[in-house]
Amino acid sequence: MIRRIVSSSLFILAASVAQAQTPAENLYAEHCSDCHGADRLGGTGPALIPETLKRMRGPAVSKVIRNGRVATQMPAFSDALAQEEITALADFVKTPLARVPTWTAHDIQLSLTPAADYEPADQPVFKADPLNVFLVVETGDHHVSVLDGKTFERLDRFATPFAVHGGPKFTPDGRYVFIMSRDSWVQKYDLWSLKEVGRVRAGLNSRNIAISKDGRWVAVANYLPRTLTILSAADLKVSRIFDVADQDGVPSRVSAVYQAPHRDSFILALKDVAEIWEIATGPSTGPAWQGPAVSEDSGRGAARTSSQELFAHRRIKVSEPIDDFFFDPAYRHLIGAARSGKKGVVVDLTIGREVAELPLSGMPHLGSGISWMRGGKRVMATPHLREGKLSVIDVGDWSPVTTIKTDGPGFFLRSHENSRFVWADVFFGPNKDAMHVIDKQTLKIEKTLRPVPGATVAHVEFDRYGRFALVSVWEDDGAVIVYDAETLEELKRLPMRKPSGKYNVWNKITFSEGTSH
Ligand code: DHE
């Protein structure tokens, strides 16, 4: 009897929960959940959560629901749904999830998808210099083009997971590359056989990835859940999951993770708590290092004891959470943007504390920072996301050198050891079609290029020798333009679908001073 009452009240409760669904939730369940997951965390289609949607530049969500999305399987719902229903659905998917979801080692393991047709090759299947190859991320239709860095012939074009973000990371020999999407898919691609090796979902929403100095580990910085996942680069299996929380247990998103090659470690900035983490990827000693904050659920329990020292981590307290950052060439100092967007801080990673504050207002984009030698001194420069300027700082004493006024806020900066120039885009505002070329010594704008009036022109990458500079025309019907890096003459235009970042294998594996990490 009691059981019957309990079960019937459970039935009533379940029914009232079902009835409690809002019209938008019902529409979602009917039209979207098959592809995007009942929990909105993704399936064959991407996750429909604000962490992903708010970050994507492109058509408004309601427009995508109405018209579909070209080059994907997203159909148009204009015939099936009324405009108010489309608006309600769009609002619903932009609503934050009620709680931070979990994504366990088991979930990661289940998502692992080796490519069916992968065959390794004994040597590159092409004649070009394999270390002078470029990857071009084409966000327009979620592909990557592989280009010969001398002739600019396209060697391959392969499909990526939806919405790739951040720089792909190469193994130290330049043979494999790892590419990450905002939905945390990590794709491994073999640059010798020009084939995908496989992919795995390392979290639910991610910022970026880093590869260890020895090329054995790939670290994935997650927003959702609040973790850092370390994958084995060899087979993409989960090796360790760090639950990210400060000393007092307050959980945090990871703003970014980078390799610090001179230190043989990963460095992480945390978005919600005032700590920097360093995770050893080689032997670590000293009282500041502690055993790993491993999630109970971490996959390979057995690896835990034997590699305990390998992933030892230390915490460095900072005055406020750090968003993105950049290193000096010795990797002793981290130069980070405070989350408030009003200043930069310099953290000495060896002594483990802040040593300077930088007057960087207007949201510095330090992840794009680069450095070079000027008159016997090393300087660094960063663009700002909210002000039309570049800040130049003396890396010796952290004093401001100058501010270069630009035609609007920029996103990316690039140079090369063999080039006289720094290239700075103007990503936002009416001058988004401008690309400034700045003399590294005089700090004056030498020339402003406007190759396609009205189009967004952004992000530069040099070939291995610094002879050519490749620029993106960041439009659906876009292009990569190849310039002579010295004469600034246009040499070639390669049609591409909204090309974003471009990455030269050599510049990346040698940590060229002109490129971001
Ligand atoms: Fe990025 C790199 C953070 C928005 C395109 N961006 C990075 C990196 C970080 C970062 C931490 C370094 C990753 C790496 O290479 O390891 N990006 C952020 C933000 O905080 C910001 C402002 C807001 C957000 O969406 O989270 C942001 N980024 C964008 C965009 O809107 C861009 C222009 C379009 C897109 O694809 O989302 C964009 N970000 C890029 C690109 C890189 C990148 C192309 C790699 C640059 C490189 O040369 O290495």
Side-chain angles (χ1 to χ4, degrees), residues 51 54-57 137 139 163-169 182 207-210 223 255-258 271 323-325 365 367-368 385 411-414 427-428 459-461 474 500-503 508 515-517:
E51 286 81 352
K54 273 199 200 149
R55 301 296 181 199
M56 290 178 48
R57 300 164 63 84
V137 175
T139 52
V164 165
H165 178 241
K169 300 293 147 74
R182 291 205 183 246
R207 293 294 282 175
N208 79 326
I209 54 175
Y223 265 12
S255 299
V257 57
Y258 295 105
K271 185 102 177 167
D323 221 346
D324 198 5
F325 61 95
H365 193 225
S368 292
L385 298 174
F411 220 98
F412 303 108
L413 273 190
R414 271 291 202 279
F427 202 81
F428 305 97
H459 195 277
V460 178
E461 175 68 313
W474 198 300
S500 58
K502 301 158 296 298
Y503 309 91
K508 286 293 168 190
T515 188
S516 49
H517 299 273

Side-chain angles (χ1 to χ4, degrees), residues 191-509:
L191 280 160
W192 281 12
S193 63
L194 300 178
K195 294 259 183 228
E196 172 172 346
V197 181
R199 56 182 79 184
V200 68
R201 194 170 186 190
L204 293 167
N205 184 263
S206 300
R207 293 294 282 175
N208 79 326
I209 54 175
I211 190 158
S212 61
K213 183 179 178 181
D214 60 9
R216 291 178 64 204
W217 313 108
V218 178
V220 187
N222 295 325
Y223 265 12
L224 290 177
R226 312 295 195 233
T227 53
L228 179 93
T229 303
I230 299 187
L231 302 170
S232 152
D235 56 13
L236 293 180
K237 288 190 175 154
V238 61
S239 177
R240 194 64 54 88
I241 297 175
F242 283 85
D243 288 325
V244 178
D246 72 2
Q247 193 81 61
D248 302 322
V250 178
S252 177
R253 295 168 290 174
V254 183
S255 299
V257 57
Y258 295 105
Q259 184 205 141
H262 297 29
R263 307 175 66 83
D264 204 348
S265 63
F266 291 129
I267 306 284
L268 287 65
L270 308 187
K271 185 102 177 167
D272 306 307
V273 298
E275 284 184 9
I276 299 285
W277 281 19
E278 180 164 27
I279 297 180
T281 48
S284 54
T285 50
W289 292 91
Q290 49 185 264
V294 187
S295 162
E296 278 312 306
D297 178 61
S298 292
R300 299 170 170 182
R304 198 165 155 177
T305 343
S306 56
S307 58
Q308 186 111 7
E309 217 184 44
L310 179 65
F311 294 132
H313 86 287
R314 65 190 271 251
R315 302 165 188 272
I316 299 173
K317 285 213 162 299
V318 285
S319 53
E320 60 176 293
I322 300 236
D323 221 346
D324 198 5
F325 61 95
F326 149 80
F327 297 104
D328 64 355
Y331 289 82
R332 168 139 191 179
H333 296 100
L334 170 157
I335 303 107
R339 203 180 55 178
S340 60
K342 294 194 178 127
K343 64 170 188 180
V345 289
V346 181
V347 178
D348 184 320
L349 293 167
T350 302
I351 60 175
R353 64 176 167 79
E354 281 178 17
V355 291
E357 211 171 86
L358 304 176
L360 297 175
S361 62
M363 197 66 105
H365 193 225
L366 280 160
S368 292
I370 58 168
S371 78
W372 66 91
M373 293 304 289
R374 175 174 182 262
K377 288 185 168 182
R378 183 162 290 277
V379 296
M380 59 156 274
T382 178
H384 295 251
L385 298 174
R386 298 225 181 111
E387 284 177 30
K389 66 180 183 186
L390 300 179
S391 295
V392 185
I393 309 270
D394 184 327
V395 174
D397 59 8
W398 307 112
S399 61
V401 174
T402 193
T403 301
I404 304 170
K405 195 170 159 5
T406 60
D407 286 351
F411 220 98
F412 303 108
L413 273 190
R414 271 291 202 279
S415 188
H416 188 280
E417 287 82 347
N418 298 339
S419 169
R420 306 192 279 133
F421 302 120
V422 169
W423 295 56
D425 56 38
V426 178
F427 202 81
F428 305 97
N431 293 311
K432 62 184 185 172
D433 56 358
M435 173 70 70
H436 296 305
V437 184
I438 297 160
D439 187 302
K440 280 163 139 176
Q441 301 308 314
T442 64
L443 304 180
K444 299 269 181 277
I445 296 177
E446 171 94 6
K447 192 166 182 182
T448 297
L449 304 164
R450 287 182 195 266
V452 184
T456 303
V457 170
H459 195 277
V460 178
E461 175 68 313
F462 287 78
D463 72 310
R464 154 175 198 175
Y465 304 102
R467 283 188 214 129
F468 306 110
L470 276 61
V471 171
S472 291
V473 180
W474 198 300
E475 301 286 339
D476 258 332
D477 206 1
V480 162
I481 305 183
V482 182
Y483 286 92
D484 181 309
E486 178 58 29
T487 65
L488 310 182
E489 292 302 312
E490 178 177 332
L491 302 176
K492 243 180 203 179
R493 235 172 234 227
L494 313 164
M496 301 257 176
R497 299 292 309 277
K498 209 180 213 180
S500 58
K502 301 158 296 298
Y503 309 91
N504 178 271
V505 176
W506 177 261
N507 294 342
K508 286 293 168 190
I509 63 175

Side-chain angles (χ1 to χ4, degrees), residues 3-15:
R3 194 187 292 160
R4 205 184 299 149
I5 291 168
V6 170
S7 59
S8 62
S9 38
L10 277 179
F11 175 76
I12 291 163
L13 183 67

